[in-house]
């Protein structure tokens, strides 16, 4: 199975979706907060930080791939190897 190279708009949309989830989560927490103070659970703050770090890594990887002519150091999985999934 060949992988197709996503267009710039697909790449941007895919990575902006992470920011949309983050924005919606913060908006939800702010709506639930009563008064002027907002209190976040540590697990929620960790999840927010993870989303930001994933976004930064993806954008930096995309930028470095563009600088090298699209030949980034992307890992190619063997057919029998399962990809790792990080749960937030």
């Amino acid at each position: 199975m060949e992988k197709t190279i996503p267009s710039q708009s697909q790449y941007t949309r895919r990575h902006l979706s992470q920011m949309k989830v983050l924005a919606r989560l913060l908006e939800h927490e702010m709506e639930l907060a009563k008064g002027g103070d907002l209190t976040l659970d540590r697990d929620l703050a960790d999840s927010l930080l993870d989303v930001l770090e994933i976004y930064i890594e993806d954008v930096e990887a995309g930028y470095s791939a563009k600088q090298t002519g699209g030949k980034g150091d992307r890992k190619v999985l063997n057919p029998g190897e399962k990809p790792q999934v990080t749960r937030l």
Side-chain angles (χ1 to χ4, degrees), residues 12-22 51 55:
T12 303
R13 265 186 287 154
R14 192 178 107 220
H15 289 87
L16 282 179
S17 66
Q18 297 170 1
M19 293 296 101
K20 288 180 183 178
V21 169
L22 181 65
V51 169
Y55 177 78

Side-chain angles (χ1 to χ4, degrees), residues 11 15 53-67 73:
Y11 178 83
H15 289 87
E53 289 173 345
I54 290 169
Y55 177 78
I56 291 168
E57 288 174 5
D58 286 349
V59 170
E60 285 178 342
Y63 181 73
S64 66
K66 287 178 191 171
Q67 294 294 328
D73 51 336

Side-chain angles (χ1 to χ4, degrees), residues 39-88:
T39 304
L40 292 177
D41 183 36
R42 183 169 185 85
D43 291 334
L44 181 61
D46 284 339
S47 294
L48 294 172
L49 184 59
D50 288 342
V51 169
L52 285 172
E53 289 173 345
I54 290 169
Y55 177 78
I56 291 168
E57 288 174 5
D58 286 349
V59 170
E60 285 178 342
Y63 181 73
S64 66
K66 287 178 191 171
Q67 294 294 328
T68 60
K71 297 178 182 176
D73 51 336
R74 180 174 246 184
K75 181 181 177 185
V76 178
L77 295 176
N78 294 330
E81 190 177 339
K82 284 188 170 181
Q84 288 184 331
V85 177
T86 304
R87 295 188 183 223
L88 300 177

